[in-house]
Amino acid sequence: MAEMKLEKAMKRLEDIVEELEKGELDIDKSLEIFEEGIKMSRLCSKKLNEAEAKIEKLTKNQKGELITELFPVEKEDDAE
């Protein structure tokens, strides 16, 4: 099964937040979609981290020539 795209996961996450904020669901359904929301959030985070890791930045080397290098990715442990 193909993994869900970022845009679709973001839309589903927004829908879940909206449903939970209405407060009209029973506790079982609320927990069910809350768990789904956590999964969507983790998927979005993973997709964004993967995209960020692919971004290259242009810099100049010691000779003044433009070169590309991978954009440094901050690990979650470093962010604290």
Side-chain angles (χ1 to χ4, degrees), residues 20-31:
L20 289 172
E21 286 180 342
K22 286 180 186 173
E24 298 173 351
L25 301 173
D26 63 42
I27 189 71
D28 292 331
K29 185 64 178 173
S30 293
L31 286 172

Side-chain angles (χ1 to χ4, degrees), residues 36-47:
E36 183 185 355
I38 295 295
K39 289 177 185 173
M40 292 298 112
S41 174
R42 288 180 180 156
L43 177 64
C44 290
S45 180
K46 177 184 166 197
K47 294 282 188 182

Side-chain angles (χ1 to χ4, degrees), residues 56-71:
E56 294 180 335
K57 66 177 184 177
L58 280 175
T59 59
K60 288 186 178 179
N61 64 14
Q62 293 178 339
K63 296 178 184 177
E65 300 166 333
L66 288 176
I67 58 169
T68 60
E69 62 184 44
L70 290 177
F71 194 84

Side-chain angles (χ1 to χ4, degrees), residues 3-58:
E3 193 170 79
M4 183 180 285
K5 291 190 173 195
L6 174 65
E7 294 79 9
K8 191 171 182 177
M10 289 286 292
K11 175 69 176 123
R12 180 61 188 139
L13 185 56
E14 290 171 357
D15 291 344
I16 288 169
V17 169
E18 189 174 313
E19 285 182 58
L20 289 172
E21 286 180 342
K22 286 180 186 173
E24 298 173 351
L25 301 173
D26 63 42
I27 189 71
D28 292 331
K29 185 64 178 173
S30 293
L31 286 172
E32 180 184 321
I33 67 167
F34 177 80
E35 289 174 0
E36 183 185 355
I38 295 295
K39 289 177 185 173
M40 292 298 112
S41 174
R42 288 180 180 156
L43 177 64
C44 290
S45 180
K46 177 184 166 197
K47 294 282 188 182
L48 290 172
N49 286 337
E50 288 172 355
E52 189 177 55
K54 292 179 182 175
I55 294 173
E56 294 180 335
K57 66 177 184 177
L58 280 175

